[in-house]
Amino acid sequence: MGYTNYWKQYQNVPDKAWKSIKKEYEEYIKPVAGNLIEDRSTENEIIFDGDCETFILSKIAKIKPDYKGQDPSFNFCKTRAAKYDLAVWYLLTFVNKVCPDIEISRDR
């Protein structure tokens, strides 16, 4: 059985908001999550691995679909409710706070 976090990103994250998101991730989430996550972030993406799927949040919104019928705004990360799920959900709620146009939801 799976447990998944979802978000829809219709546009790029503004520079000021991205700076705030990256700061929250670097100064709070990474230290608190500790060895529950393996960070592989870049300048324009927050990427970390946990016990299931890799979480990837991009500053740059995907606009062009890869195939007919795809919703390029749709993103997800299946965590199976593993311990790193808290880091994923916390970051998404923070993102939604600074970028309310990024819609978030989860299976529970």
Side-chain angles (χ1 to χ4, degrees):
M1 297 211 99
Y3 180 80
T4 308
N5 298 277
Y6 309 93
W7 64 102
K8 284 194 159 206
Q9 181 179 355
Y10 301 103
Q11 56 194 8
N12 295 346
V13 176
D15 290 340
K16 185 177 177 181
W18 185 248
K19 184 177 179 182
S20 178
I21 292 166
K22 288 281 281 188
K23 181 177 179 181
E24 188 74 7
Y25 175 69
E26 293 291 334
E27 295 181 5
Y28 183 73
I29 295 172
K30 277 177 52 176
V32 169
N35 63 359
L36 293 177
I37 64 172
E38 179 185 331
D39 180 54
R40 297 188 296 119
S41 298
T42 65
E43 181 180 338
N44 291 319
E45 292 181 316
I46 295 174
I47 305 169
F48 58 88
D49 292 315
D51 291 337
C52 195
E53 290 185 349
T54 301
F55 175 84
I56 303 171
L57 176 71
S58 182
K59 177 182 180 189
I60 311 303
K62 185 173 183 172
I63 297 170
K64 185 178 177 186
D66 292 326
Y67 55 87
K68 185 178 178 178
Q70 180 190 27
D71 176 358
S73 71
F74 180 75
N75 298 275
F76 69 93
C77 178
K78 180 178 285 209
T79 64
R80 294 187 323 242
K83 292 180 181 179
Y84 83 116
D85 178 70
L86 184 59
V88 170
W89 187 245
Y90 177 87
L91 182 58
L92 288 175
T93 59
F94 186 82
V95 167
N96 180 252
K97 179 181 172 185
V98 297
C99 297
D101 57 316
I102 295 180
E103 303 167 8
I104 62 172
S105 62
R106 63 196 314 196
D107 285 342
R108 289 190 190 164

